[in-house]
Each structure stands twice: as structure tokens, then as C-alpha cells.
Amino acid sequence: TPKGSCLESVKIAIDTGYRHIDGAFVYYNEHEVGQAIREKIAEGKIKREDIFYCGKLWNTCHPPELVRPTLEKTLKILQLDYVDLYIIELPMAFKPGDAIYPRDENGKIIYHETDLCATWEAMEACKDAGLAKSIGVSNFNRRQLEMILNKPGLKYKPVSNQVECHPYFTQPKLLEFCRQHDIVIVGYSPLGTSRDETWVNVSSPPLLKDAVLNAIGKKYNKTAAQVALRFGIQRGVVVIPKSFNPQRIRENFQIFDFSLTEEEMKEIEALNKNVRYVELLM
Ligand code: A2P
């Protein structure tokens, strides 16, 4: 993100009413997010406890002894005492070190063997130390979730699993599994991503051009984006839309003054293509 745009966007978001902020060390803007939160606290607009900040443990930091120092580094960048939620960003580990994407001489990612259960125990210790109020995971499939849930001596269950989720990728089976285990699904790319070809599978059509979403939007005087977000929250999925545009930041918050009928929800569910925009090919 261009320097400063994240600071401004988060301040506008907080003024608009957003309280949940989804961040990560690898977004390289945590210093701006932290500054925005601290400025809004100093202004008296919010208290720290009003904000729900989610941070993420990157793939190069899975060895258990790296987990707490990594979270402490994030807290130092944010200049906050704790995060509300800390999650394992991906279930696969990369070779530890300064390179975020460590590669061999052939350009292949260098993976690292770690035990996800041991990483999880280090996450539990972060919660016990008060550095994270809650702990969760991201991009975990059912098998990976079960590994944690069935871990002998499990102290805390993951409270949430952040995965791609939107009308073209509705995740019915994972959603049901997570419901049964009281794990909240946090849906990323709820608007169908920015369609940046460097990391997005653009062969899947643009979500916001969808005829059904637009037709339903017309009925309520809402945009396709607002319908897609409303669809998420109405089925119990937390949505984390991304925008750096003040008008669209506000637009994406105007989703609490209408509701979709059961029939409309079914119609939108039927749009599922089972195709990911974010394939995470690494
Ligand atoms: P911008 O930052 O210019 O608003 P996702 O949340 O699925 O990752 O989607 C993010 C993309 O969607 C960004 O490119 C963002 O661009 C765009 N976007 C965000 N809100 C809206 C909206 N209400 N209508 C159209 N596009 C939007």
C-alpha cells in the first residue's frame, strides 16, 4: 500500500464504525495500523478494548521458540500491549530467516519441517502470557483443524479459521464442520479480491459483476458488494472487506439496515463455483 494510505484508511474506518481490523506482519503496514488505533484512542474516539485487532504468525516463524518473539515484534511495531486475536496464517512452514519467501537456486520455496501441534502449544503460551486474548488459525482444512482439536492435552481450541469465503466460494462443508466445533469462520476476499494477477486466479469471473448479486442489490438500493457482505454475515461468516477508498470503506459498512430473504440467501448460495481466487500455489 502507498505510504500513509493505510494510516488514513484505518482512521476513516474507525470513524465509520469498524472495530475489527485484520492485519499481519507480512502486510508491512502494521506500524500504520497501530498508529491509527493509537491516534483514535488519544482523540478519545475509542478505547483500546473497543478494537479487535487480529495479527498473524507468518510461515517462517512456525518453530515453537520463534512464536512468542514474533508476536512480541508485532506488538512492538503496533505499539500495543496485546492483540485480540493471533492466528497461524498458513498451515505450512517455510525455512526460518529474514526471507519471507525463502527460495533455493531454482526459485523453489524452501519448506521447513515443523509440528503444527508444537506451534499451537506456543500459541497457547502467548494467550497465557496475555499477549493475545484469543488464538486461531487461517487457511486450515478440516484435517489440519482435526490435528489441533485432537491434540493430547489441548489447552485452547482455535476460536476461528480465516479462509477464502464469498458467494463464488461458499465453503459449505468447512463451514458446517467449524459450526459443529464452535470455530468462527472469518471470510477473506469477501468481495472477490482486487484481481491482482500476481496472486489472484483471474480465470474465475469478477464477483461484483455477478447478475444475481446486482439484481438483488437493486431491490434494496444496495450494491453487489453490500449484498455479498450481507450474505456473509447472515450465514454467520465474519467478513473482512478491504478498501483504501473512503467512499467504499463507508459503503462496505452500510450493511446493517437491510436483510436478505431466505430465498435470496439460497439463490446466492447457488452461485458457488467451488473455485478459489486465492490458490496459494506456494
Ligand atoms: P479499493 O481499495 O479501491 O476500494 P476483497 O475485500 O475481496 O479483498 O476486495 C478488495 C478489492 O475490492 C479492492 O480492490 C478494493 O478496491 C475493492 N473494493 C472494496 N470495496 C468495494 C466496493 N464497495 N465496491 C467495489 N469494489 C470494492
Side-chain angles (χ1 to χ4, degrees):
T1 52
K3 211 171 156 208
S5 66
C6 177
L7 171 67
E8 272 316 302
S9 297
V10 174
K11 288 203 288 187
I12 291 167
I14 291 172
D15 285 340
T16 302
Y18 290 82
R19 294 296 178 260
H20 177 178
I21 300 167
D22 184 72
F25 171 75
V26 287
Y27 301 164
Y28 295 112
N29 53 18
E30 273 188 321
H31 57 292
E32 291 189 29
V33 177
Q35 191 183 338
I37 294 171
R38 284 180 285 107
E39 281 183 24
K40 286 294 155 191
I41 293 172
E43 265 176 37
K45 173 89 192 167
I46 47 162
K47 296 194 188 80
R48 171 64 187 93
E49 57 267 35
D50 297 329
I51 290 291
F52 186 89
Y53 182 78
C54 169
K56 304 192 186 91
L57 181 80
W58 181 243
N59 310 1
T60 51
C61 311
H62 280 203
E65 67 278 11
L66 295 184
V67 173
R68 181 171 174 161
T70 304
L71 173 52
E72 282 170 338
K73 189 167 145 197
T74 270
L75 291 173
K76 202 168 162 205
I77 295 170
L78 288 164
Q79 292 184 47
L80 296 177
D81 300 329
Y82 66 88
V83 294
D84 298 273
L85 176 64
Y86 200 51
I87 63 180
I88 302 178
E89 189 156 352
L90 284 149
M92 69 282 232
F94 294 171
K95 188 186 87 161
D98 290 336
I100 292 298
Y101 291 95
R103 291 178 193 277
D104 65 16
E105 58 278 11
N106 301 314
K108 278 212 170 123
I109 291 277
I110 309 171
Y111 294 97
H112 191 68
E113 224 165 281
T114 50
D115 173 2
L116 264 185
C117 287
T119 308
W120 185 253
E121 284 169 8
M123 297 285 285
E124 292 179 325
C126 288
K127 176 171 155 68
D128 281 335
L131 302 179
K133 297 278 182 206
S134 291
I135 49 176
V137 297
S138 180
N139 295 301
F140 273 44
N141 63 24
R142 174 181 173 152
R143 190 174 56 82
Q144 291 151 346
L145 286 171
E146 278 174 337
M147 238 171 77
I148 305 286
L149 293 173
N150 298 332
K151 186 186 88 64
L154 179 73
K155 193 162 185 191
Y156 305 116
K157 279 190 342 185
V159 297
S160 60
N161 184 20
Q162 185 179 130
V163 293
E164 177 172 345
C165 197
H166 48 73
Y168 283 177
F169 195 69
T170 54
Q171 301 261 31
K173 287 197 281 186
L174 189 63
L175 189 56
E176 184 49 35
F177 177 80
C178 286
R179 266 197 196 123
Q180 284 165 4
H181 291 272
D182 267 333
I183 298 170
V184 174
I185 289 271
V186 178
Y188 68 68
S189 305
L191 303 174
T193 79
S194 56
R195 299 186 68 79
D196 174 341
E197 289 187 31
T198 60
W199 59 277
V200 175
N201 166 21
V202 289
S203 68
S204 192
L207 179 68
L208 299 184
K209 294 237 163 76
D210 184 87
V212 170
L213 296 181
N214 280 284
I216 293 174
K218 214 167 196 179
K219 174 177 159 191
Y220 295 104
N221 202 18
K222 294 286 176 187
T223 62
Q226 290 168 319
V227 173
L229 296 174
R230 181 73 207 181
F231 168 71
I233 58 169
Q234 247 177 264
R235 63 203 287 261
V237 171
V238 173
V239 287
I240 45 172
K242 175 176 66 186
S243 178
F244 290 95
N245 171 289
Q247 194 193 322
R248 288 191 282 277
I249 290 173
R250 292 185 194 106
E251 176 185 324
N252 296 341
F253 201 73
Q254 304 307 315
I255 58 169
F256 303 105
D257 56 356
F258 78 114
S259 56
L260 301 166
T261 64
E262 226 169 276
E263 211 169 83
E264 287 161 346
M265 289 295 289
K266 286 210 180 95
E267 212 183 326
I268 300 172
E269 261 161 41
L271 297 175
N272 185 26
K273 297 179 191 295
N274 267 325
V275 176
R276 292 169 197 273
Y277 285 117
V278 186
E279 295 178 296
L280 298 167
L281 295 177
M282 80 291 198

